Amino acid sequence: MIIIKRAFGFLFAVLLLVVSGTGISASAKYKENIEIPVMLYHVVKPETDPANPYQYNLSEFKKEMAYLHQQGYRTLTMKQYFNILDHKASMPKKPILLTFDDNSSDFYQYILPVLKEYGMKATEFTVSSWINGSWNMTASQMLEIMDNGINIQNHSVTHSFMADLSKEQQYAEVNNAAAALRDLTGQKPQAFAYPYGNYNTDTIAVLKESGIKGAFKVGGGISNDASSRYELPRIIMLQEHTLTDFIRMVNTGY
Ligand SMILES: [Zn+2]
């Protein structure tokens, strides 16, 4: 009987070693490799103005979302993105953060239907004074995209070059936009995108003082857990980029 007990005890110890051993190696491996491409689009529509590099062609965009779907990419919410970077949540095998700037009306008309087709999440960096503007989404459209899994985040009040403003003016740009977005959505924005990718040390200080969790610049490759939270890289999609460019950029950041 004692021998049987010992045998069971030994087996149990071996089992524990195997289970904990694989657990440790899996989590260590995962922690070494946190890389999340963050894509940046502006206007996406069927007929683009050839003179405006920030306008992206809808047919090309559709190919890119189909590619992500086929390849098994998981689109993240902003909350998931920060939790993964901070090692508070496990990372899906192929994570990606899709961001769209400037709350333009084409998002509602053209982009949302594509994202809905694939059940994709995304973030809309919203300029608060542009809500209901002539080429922008209305407040009710903003609420509707939010109901469809789109995060509304902060892209300032007036879309100014932040580095040209005093610290007080920058504080107003960040916090008045945050208040307007919170009034609209009921949620406090966690992230900021620098208009034109422009910022200085005052901007970062203001964001930290205002409780913003992280801020995105333009360019800089693929974001990872070591990226400065107030200089998070984004990969900008311009009109000249094709699906081939997109695939390369998702994989290399450039
Ligand atoms: Zn912008």
Side-chain angles (χ1 to χ4, degrees):
M1 192 62 190
I2 290 166
I3 293 165
I4 291 169
K5 265 188 180 171
R6 277 188 184 161
F8 271 112
F10 176 72
L11 273 176
F12 187 62
V14 167
L15 195 66
L16 265 181
L17 272 175
V18 169
V19 169
S20 63
T22 51
I24 287 163
S25 67
S27 73
K29 192 176 167 192
Y30 138 75
K31 280 185 179 176
E32 280 162 16
N33 244 332
I34 295 193
E35 289 196 330
I36 307 175
V38 181
M39 310 310 293
L40 162 57
Y41 294 90
H42 292 85
V43 166
V44 178
K45 58 184 184 179
E47 304 287 333
T48 49
D49 173 1
N52 186 339
Y54 297 102
Q55 292 190 1
Y56 203 73
N57 194 277
L58 178 63
S59 65
E60 212 61 33
F61 177 76
K62 283 180 176 173
K63 285 185 216 167
E64 290 158 6
M65 296 307 110
Y67 170 83
L68 293 179
H69 177 72
Q70 285 156 10
Q71 296 292 315
Y73 276 88
R74 285 270 298 279
T75 52
L76 304 176
T77 64
M78 190 56 73
K79 193 177 174 186
Q80 289 171 326
Y81 174 76
F82 283 124
N83 281 341
I84 293 167
L85 284 194
D86 294 344
H87 303 279
K88 289 177 185 165
S90 63
M91 186 174 73
K93 213 170 173 188
K94 292 182 170 181
I96 192 164
L97 182 69
L98 301 176
T99 71
F100 299 83
D101 282 12
D102 302 346
N103 43 307
S104 54
S105 54
D106 59 277
F107 186 95
Y108 182 81
Q109 194 176 356
Y110 300 117
I111 300 171
L112 184 65
V114 181
L115 298 177
K116 273 172 80 170
E117 187 185 336
Y118 297 116
M120 288 175 163
K121 308 272 196 304
T123 294
E124 178 66 55
F125 279 106
T126 301
V127 180
S128 65
S129 73
W130 290 356
I131 298 169
N132 298 318
S134 59
W135 57 279
N136 301 93
M137 281 184 274
T138 64
S140 69
Q141 286 172 336
M142 297 290 301
L143 291 176
E144 199 178 323
I145 68 167
M146 194 173 87
D147 285 344
N148 284 283
I150 310 304
N151 294 155
I152 311 297
Q153 298 290 345
N154 192 341
H155 197 32
S156 82
V157 176
T158 67
H159 207 277
S160 300
F161 286 90
M162 296 294 273
D164 290 348
L165 305 179
S166 70
K167 193 175 177 188
E168 289 69 28
Q169 289 170 321
Q170 294 197 38
Y171 190 88
E173 283 286 341
V174 171
N175 284 280
N176 293 346
L181 296 178
R182 195 191 51 225
D183 286 349
L184 176 68
T185 65
Q187 293 169 9
K188 185 176 183 283
Q190 299 290 306
F192 188 82
Y194 300 114
Y196 311 104
N198 174 268
Y199 61 98
N200 60 14
T201 50
D202 279 349
T203 326
I204 294 176
V206 163
L207 292 170
K208 286 179 178 172
E209 287 162 24
S210 307
I212 302 282
K213 222 171 145 42
F216 292 86
K217 57 181 189 176
V218 177
I222 292 179
S223 71
N224 60 55
D225 50 346
S227 301
S228 160
R229 296 297 187 270
Y230 297 92
E231 293 175 300
L232 292 164
R234 287 198 291 175
I235 303 163
I236 187 169
M237 297 303 296
L238 300 173
Q239 197 176 132
E240 68 196 55
H241 294 137
T242 63
L243 175 64
T244 310
D245 296 315
F246 176 83
I247 294 168
R248 186 195 66 246
M249 290 155 97
V250 165
N251 284 288
T252 71
Y254 297 96

